[in-house]
Amino acid sequence: MLTDLLQKIDDRTATIGIVGLGYVGLPLALRFAEVGYKIIGFDIDPDKVGQLMAGQSYIEHISPPSIERLLASGFEATTDYARATDADALILCVPTPLDKHREPDLSYVLNTTDALVPYLRPGQLLSLESTTYPGTTDEALLPRVQSRGLEVGKDFFLVYSPEREDPGNTKFTTQTIPKVCGGVTPSCLKVGVALYSGVIDRVVPVSSTRAAELTKLLENIHRAVNIGLVNEMKIVADKMDIDIYEVIRAAATKPFGFVPYYPGPGLGGHCIPIDPFYLTWKAREYGVNTRFIELAGEVNSAMPDFVIGKVVGALNNRRKSLNGSRILVLGLAYKKNVDDMRESPSVVLMERMENLGATIAYSDPHIPVFPQLRDHRHFDLTSVELTPENIAGFDCVLIATDHDRFNYDLIKQHAQLIVDSRGRYLDPADHIVRS
């Protein structure tokens, strides 16, 4: 089985099944197809499947011509998990959110695996890419694979290889971002490394799936902790009437020992607001209290309230109340220049300000209509066009996400009040408040 599968991977006759066609799975499918593999894409959302098969893209930075080339390569998208039998390698790219108690929600991983298990066969590789706690692959996936009577490491192969997609980052691509991979057995690792080496410039093998799982968590916890630090520094600097962005720019001139991180209105995206809680939850099983990580989480989670406090204070200084004011939130996406709204702090800001009596609107060139979200209320809104008249009609413009497509000179010229949570405006002005 091992030799046959390695040969199929090497001569690119292997069929690759990508399970979950979102911000991670779809770019991966494009990359495998680009080098000549046949791809079957699986998703539980029939609308996504229909759009792909019609040559359409639902992710802004992936163009319709890219989807058309994918289809021309023989790509098929389906909701039928029975097709998993046709794949030589299955790669799971499904969400791993938190539940309402801020604990890991592995339902997508486990339900997807359970849906695949009846169709697993000897001679296949299963790779999990979803971010999760150490032990998920061998504690949750391995027993399910073994329930089919498959012997992992001999007639079936199981690896964990965490995704490292960064939507909107044009400096790196799926091909150029190094790929970590850990296997349940040495044979599993050998197959996993062979598979990813065909499409990724550098594959980094590690000793186990648990090491690979913890690697992903460390990467994102590193960012969360440092963002928490700089968010706390922002609060201190604000009290001292010091421009934290000026301080960061000055510190970043040091050529060693300092990496700049930037404050904001809260954490967003599919990783940084979530991943630390996966480790803190698992660490409790070992009697470890991850105080440092949890403190950073507390600081970051408090940032929306800090920003709203600045909005309230700025309005008060103009003899206005948040209750009854018209607030324009600039940017729905969790980071600039993308259409990705996962865990976006902008939505939290909108909800809380509306609960305090404000009338809320938004503008985002990447998100023309406010979408349905899993864990937040739905705003029946469309993106406001940034004309001089529209801008001037709001009591406050809140910069929550600093997209490059915004005309900041126009906004500055016509806004009554600007609360800037991203440090976009370098020069002070009477109607601009840093938050």
Side-chain angles (χ1 to χ4, degrees), residues 83-242:
R83 294 291 310 281
T85 300
D86 300 332
D88 299 293
L90 291 161
I91 302 175
L92 272 60
C93 308
V94 297
T96 46
L98 298 172
D99 65 19
K100 62 181 180 180
H101 303 296
R102 306 296 287 173
E103 293 186 347
D105 177 5
L106 287 185
S107 61
Y108 293 91
V109 170
L110 300 183
N111 292 342
T112 300
T113 304
D114 288 340
L116 292 171
V117 162
Y119 309 107
L120 300 182
R121 58 168 174 79
Q124 286 181 311
L125 165 73
L126 177 62
S127 173
L128 176 62
E129 293 210 1
S130 308
T131 303
T132 187
Y133 59 80
T136 300
T137 305
D138 55 24
E139 292 174 1
L141 270 63
L142 179 58
R144 285 169 163 78
V145 171
Q146 291 173 326
S147 72
R148 281 285 289 167
L150 299 166
E151 187 173 354
V152 172
K154 290 192 176 180
D155 59 7
F156 195 93
F157 306 94
L158 180 60
V159 302
Y160 180 77
S161 182
E163 58 85 10
R164 279 176 167 171
E165 283 293 322
D166 187 15
N169 188 335
T170 58
K171 294 181 180 178
F172 302 100
T173 65
T174 301
Q175 177 183 349
T176 61
I177 300 170
K179 197 86 165 73
V180 172
C181 186
V184 171
T185 71
S187 294
C188 293
L189 178 60
K190 187 173 184 179
V191 177
V193 169
L195 176 70
Y196 287 113
S197 293
V199 293
I200 308 294
D201 290 346
R202 182 188 176 200
V203 177
V204 182
V206 294
S207 61
S208 65
T209 56
R210 291 184 176 223
E213 289 159 344
L214 188 56
T215 297
K216 174 62 174 177
L217 293 181
L218 175 60
E219 294 171 9
N220 290 327
I221 290 170
H222 166 83
R223 293 182 64 195
V225 167
N226 279 281
I227 291 171
L229 171 64
V230 78
N231 275 330
E232 190 168 68
M233 290 286 289
K234 176 175 74 170
I235 296 171
V236 174
D238 180 71
K239 293 291 186 182
M240 296 179 173
D241 197 25
I242 299 170

Side-chain angles (χ1 to χ4, degrees), residues 343-358:
E343 305 296 325
S344 175
S346 299
V347 181
V348 176
L349 291 167
M350 292 171 68
E351 289 175 337
R352 294 184 185 177
M353 288 191 294
E354 185 176 76
N355 289 339
L356 292 170

Side-chain angles (χ1 to χ4, degrees), residues 238 305-315 417 419 433-435:
D238 180 71
D305 287 331
F306 174 80
V307 172
I308 291 171
K310 299 295 284 188
V311 173
V312 169
L315 287 169
L417 171 66
V419 175
V433 175
R434 290 281 176 82
S435 66

